[in-house]
């Protein structure tokens, strides 16, 4: 260290205490860098094996009650590099619900979604509208909508629960309200929004409302997989092969304002090009066998596995099968980043 | 007439000639009113019977060649009150095409659509993408897209052709270009836009384009009628029962920027409330039996009929059947009026 | 004419009468073309000399009362090629108002504006807000806003009145309402919108309204000319030198939804490149001496002159002075054409 | 604690270690709450006195070099409740620059602005355009624009520097690039964007670009204070008296996409109503004497003071003078919260 720099260092340290007493500070040599050339995310890439998750879920199903506070029994996907949450913005958990159980009504400013992994026969009520949730369905609970679930089937049911809790926490904007009754009353027209907007292609002629939130609350497995099947015949995207994002049919925006959701298919033998982007991703493997290489680490995955990809990590996907497509569901925070002008991507 | 007014009248008339020589004028007592309290449209309500149309179509099919200029054989729906066109903005015609015929390639600034009334086996190419057109399909040719059609089936085929020619003429903005070859080359991926956007609910994840025009060119009968069936279980709209508008899935705007399209269903026994609005409508009855009362005149309609409703005419709909729904397809110019701030409606 | 074509001609003519009785028709050889390669506007380029207009205005000021119906004394700028109006969409008139006269309150769906040509001391009330109008000011009366004017000064005052009457007529969407009282009551805060939005650069912090119409009703001469002066130091636009469009500060859209307004300055000796575009323009020369060449015809203009340019006419501008800038005010219908997807331009 | 709950607690603790080894976890009784009824921000309200700041600034001006890394000499406004930054999203610092000094060129994904507190004669270059910065001016450096500053005056100069560093960090989206040369080359047209868009009310007629970022980089003190003076004659907003937000004249959005900026005036004797909102605010008192009460704590402020208000803190403002208005400049993160759907406010 040169004398001049040392002297500056000494000067800064000498000032620190006085400045602090006035709620002020100057940069100190011991500070981490104010900026970095590119994102140095503390988040680590992670991989969860289906066999491990199944065993752990069975265990918590047997041992744990529905949580006293939030009234949900969930296995949270954690990240070693972060103080909480699955990615810098998103919490992903696997909810395990037993026949007869009720996840009671509440609402929060965090946006949330459910993607049904296994089972059938639970229904959900969102702002008075009821849907039956079946495997492969995507069900939204946009910010501040009331929601509760009841499992009316006869086998345990599991689904992926995703919330942007960490994003809402970063903004210090958490609100929560519990309900006095476990389940909401169902409106006279139990599935109005699905019937009005569920085709994606049409809307009521005299509908002049421009709802602030996506009015469509459920995207059926059947429709989404048919869309993926059609698109999979087109030439592949170099980085994602075939990936279709769920959208708000009234605006063309993402289905939720802050969380992106997509269904992805890798054709047999596909090995995509590597790229990286700001924003984080959580993957759930619906079917097939393959690998994802994240910053040099290879995750060999199969049906039922989860993975998470940190911001700006270079990644590429491989379908290990030469005759069967693989299908993945993903959630990401690209819509939040895009709205803030912070989304970037580049080929590796 | 008072003396003062008469004197003013005389003064104005005395000035007319001098003013005219300088490209000027003042209001003259003989002028029609500059404004009217509400729209006094010259357009007349009209009704075309299916039996008449079928007979006339067969006749022109037998007698007329494909037109030399535009290369189409069409029966135009005219209006007695207007110098041309079906409504103040829209031209609707029934195109009659025989097996083996080709409607050659061209493009124009008028937006256009086709709604297949009868038959199967014709295909259309729009900007290099090919679709097979079947009964009940809606196919778009947005402004300035190349399009041509070839009938590969073995029965005559008829469809509704709609263009906003009168609107484009009002704006003195007509452009047209013919092609050197009768049919366009088909792109390597013949139905890319349908495969990318046809679900309405999803779009390519990495698709950052925001096309100026609707990228979705075809809405299948199957999907549209399924949407109508779902929505028909909801409480009726007072004026239109169940009416679903086709939309641009990337923006939520109407499928074409200037022309609105909708599928409408009237439940058995329905008699809607009367209302009126600016903008004009052309109806095609797909199935059922009913009546539409327009400014006091009753049109008793059945499958295959057409009707047109002038701007600001009071109208209401009746399904004459007590056990069968009626289904109508409509085109209107509401999107153009809304974009110009000129759309209004009121209950009668 | 070949035999085959003749035969087709004969066939078509033979069908005409029968078709007509069913409100149908087919294309006839005697029809004008359905489309043209590019716009063949009936509108003619026109030029009005200041000296002529002044003489005619003085004459109508002396001879004519305020019109009985609309209560305005206006000299309309006509076009020989059109049945009415100054361009296919726009009516431009010069309003001449004498001290003490009142132009009584009314409203209409046509959008309107006033640009003050000469004089001071008149005030206008638009939806309860009052402004004093002085030379060079632009005052808006958006669609369906109440407006009236009173001349409190002591010299005759003239201003340019522009309305999109022909556009509204094309859409058959004319509404008009007169008031029971000649002048509206003035609101407690006579110039609220000017005070809230008049800076263009700022808006009330807690203002969450997104008004459908431009909330800013007056653009002062001083502010507009200062903006033009600043921009005139930049390199010239090839076709228009320096031309600044008035805008809605809450949306960045044009000041009125259908009518464009701009202030234009030609630097000394400037001769712009020629171009053409859809949409029509009316020019008022505020100061300077120059020429505009429209489809080969040269209009030599000076302060106080008016010109009109038809759709798709090739035009270029010349400032004849080598030491003084020229300044023009223009109105056009580009915003309407752009909203309908019908705006095009090209260099000549 | 009941036996059942204790048993659940025990079960959860027993599972923790096994789950952790698989990157999983369940809620633990020792966890903080997942949600709170309303925001419990760790940020503390703070107040900086002008006299303290002046003394500290003089001291760091004498003792510190321009920082080696970022090349700025700044006094950061810290917050005792937060690990870094002035609010959960914003870093505010006072930059102190001596005659002849250069703050070298760099760019970053954080959006930034400067508000000139004292002095004149420094100039800034933003993406090749140069502006002279004087007291009261607001100068923007939108995300990823190159910027550098040089002080050409002869007295020390101070300005407020604001960046959304903490927001960008929350999203793990920090990028930074330094320049090889201390100052950028200046473009041929040194202040193009100001000359094109600086009026707020007008834009180039042929400008069809819709820039992703605000093209206007500088808002002069003179124009902003004139706007405030005009608006201050209107009835007060109950919570903020007169507060005008700087806006992007091409879209009506906030001047920067994530950071809000406003000029506020409190009329003599004003005591506003109390309210609270999500989002944080940093205030700089430009002139006057008053108080702000934040969650029961009163900050008595005068010219040159700073204050910061945490999310959801109840606050109200008082002008202690009965004859002189007070004027404050504020920065906030409302635009980011609104884009994410997380902005809320309520009267206290």
């Amino acid at each position: 260290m040169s004398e001049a720099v040392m002297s500056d260092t000494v000067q800064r340290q000498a000032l620190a205490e006085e400045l602090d007493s006035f709620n002020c500070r100057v940069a100190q040599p011991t500070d981490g860098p104010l900026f970095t050339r590119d994102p140095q995310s503390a988040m680590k890439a992670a991989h969860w094996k289906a066999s491990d998750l199944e065993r752990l879920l069975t265990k918590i199903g047997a041992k744990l009650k529905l949580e006293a506070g939030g009234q949900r029994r969930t296995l949270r996907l954690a990240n070693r590099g972060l103080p909480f949450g699955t990615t810098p913005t998103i919490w992903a958990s696997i909810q395990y619900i037993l026949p007869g159980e009720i996840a009671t009504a509440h609402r929060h400013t965090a946006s949330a979604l459910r993607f049904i992994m296994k089972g059938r026969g639970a229904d959900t009520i969102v702002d008075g509208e009821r849907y039956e949730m079946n495997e492969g369905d995507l069900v939204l609970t946009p910010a501040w909508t009331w929601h509760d679930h009841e499992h009316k089937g006869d086998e345990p049911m599991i689904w992926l629960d995703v919330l942007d809790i960490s994003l809402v926490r970063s903004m210090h904007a958490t609100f929560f309200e519990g309900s006095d009754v476990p389940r909401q009353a169902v409106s006279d027209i139990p599935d109005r929004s699905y019937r009005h907007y569920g085709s994606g292609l049409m809307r009521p002629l005299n509908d002049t409302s421009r709802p602030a939130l996506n009015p469509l609350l459920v995207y059926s497995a059947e429709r989404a997989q048919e869309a993926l099947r059609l698109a999979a015949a087109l030439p592949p995207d170099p980085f994602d092969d075939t990936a279709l994002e769920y959208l708000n049919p009234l605006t063309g925006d993402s289905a939720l304002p802050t969380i992106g959701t997509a269904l992805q298919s890798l054709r047999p033998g596909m090995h995509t090009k590597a790229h990286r982007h700001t924003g984080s991703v959580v993957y759930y493997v619906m079917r097939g066998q393959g690998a994802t290489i994240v910053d040099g680490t290879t995750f060999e995955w199969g049906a039922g596995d989860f993975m998470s990809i940190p911001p700006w990590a270079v990644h590429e996907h491989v379908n290990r099968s030469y005759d069967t497509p693989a299908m993945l569901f993903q959630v990401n925070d690209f819509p939040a980043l895009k709205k803030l002008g912070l989304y970037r991507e580049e080929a590796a």
Side-chain angles (χ1 to χ4, degrees), chain A:
Chain A
M1 205 180 279
S2 76
E3 193 174 333
V5 173
M6 192 180 315
S7 150
D8 186 60
T9 297
V10 169
Q11 294 288 8
R12 289 175 182 275
Q13 286 167 338
L15 284 164
E17 196 174 340
E18 180 184 6
L19 293 176
D20 184 61
S21 68
F22 293 101
N23 280 326
C24 290
R25 70 187 314 275
V26 291
Q28 294 293 345
T30 50
D31 288 352
L34 190 58
F35 297 114
T36 49
R37 184 157 188 89
D38 53 23
Q40 303 296 323
S41 181
M43 178 184 163
K44 307 292 176 205
H47 182 201
W48 295 262
K49 288 292 218 177
S51 55
D52 296 329
L53 293 172
E54 276 160 32
R55 186 167 33 79
L56 297 172
L57 281 166
T58 307
K59 195 176 274 188
I60 69 164
K63 298 205 172 171
L64 300 190
K65 297 175 182 19
L66 285 193
E67 289 172 26
Q71 303 298 329
R72 269 84 178 143
R73 181 193 296 107
T74 62
L75 184 66
R76 298 182 189 167
L77 304 183
N79 191 283
R80 295 207 182 282
L82 300 174
F84 43 69
T86 313
T87 85
T89 56
I90 287 173
W91 291 49
S93 308
I94 304 171
Q95 188 157 160
Y96 188 87
I97 190 165
L98 298 171
E101 287 185 339
I102 290 175
T104 57
H106 64 204
R107 60 177 179 171
H108 36 66
T109 41
S111 296
L113 64 90
R114 252 150 295 292
F115 186 79
I116 313 308
M117 295 165 62
K118 207 169 166 181
R120 54 190 312 112
D123 72 20
T124 187
I125 307 177
V126 183
D127 271 0
E129 299 197 27
R130 186 178 55 207
Y131 302 95
E132 192 184 301
M133 300 188 289
N134 293 312
E135 196 174 316
D137 288 350
L138 170 67
V139 180
L140 309 180
T141 52
W144 211 236
T145 51
W146 288 104
H147 53 284
D148 57 71
H149 324 296
E150 179 171 3
H151 189 7
K152 297 176 167 169
D154 43 21
E155 296 286 334
M157 198 166 161
I158 60 174
W159 61 68
L160 172 64
D161 255 341
V162 177
L163 298 96
D164 59 353
I165 294 178
S166 289
L167 174 63
V168 176
R169 283 188 177 178
S170 296
M171 307 303 285
H172 294 221
T174 301
F175 292 82
F176 176 87
E177 191 175 353
S179 171
D180 294 336
V181 292
R183 298 216 76 195
Q184 306 165 65
V186 177
S187 72
D188 293 348
I189 307 135
D191 43 10
R192 177 195 286 272
S193 73
Y194 173 68
R195 288 179 175 275
H196 266 166
Y197 304 106
S199 76
L201 298 172
M202 302 177 90
R203 75 173 154 208
L205 176 66
N206 296 336
D207 175 22
T208 55
S209 70
R210 279 273 172 175
L213 296 172
N214 185 354
L216 179 59
L217 300 175
V218 63
Y219 296 74
S220 74
E222 185 190 359
R223 292 286 307 280
Q225 288 173 22
E226 165 69 6
L228 193 64
R229 195 189 60 74
L230 275 172
L234 294 176
D237 175 85
F239 307 115
D240 285 309
D241 196 344
T242 304
L244 291 181
E245 184 181 6
Y246 295 82
L247 54 77
N248 174 341
L250 288 203
T251 63
D253 195 7
S254 52
L256 286 169
T258 52
I259 307 176
T261 47
L263 215 52
Q264 186 166 352
S265 145
L266 299 171
R267 62 199 74 196
M270 166 60 61
H271 189 141
T272 68
K273 294 205 166 127
H275 74 149
R276 60 180 174 177
H277 46 66
T278 54
S280 50
V281 183
V282 179
Y283 271 110
Y284 165 59
V285 182
M286 297 172 69
R287 63 184 78 140
Q289 199 124 6
T292 295
I293 304 153
V294 188
D295 275 344
T297 301
T298 301
F299 297 138
E300 295 286 344
W301 44 254
D305 285 11
F306 279 84
M307 286 175 294
S308 65
I309 298 179
W312 211 236
V314 175
H315 57 282
E316 58 197 282
H317 306 292
V318 186
N319 183 350
R320 293 286 188 212
S321 165
Y322 287 89
D323 50 24
T324 315
M327 192 187 294
L328 300 93
F329 173 77
Q330 76 168 263
V331 295
N332 59 57
D333 51 12
F334 305 162
L337 281 139
K338 287 174 181 171
K339 286 184 170 70
L340 299 173
L342 296 171
Y343 185 76
R344 282 197 189 194
E345 57 184 329
E346 64 177 36

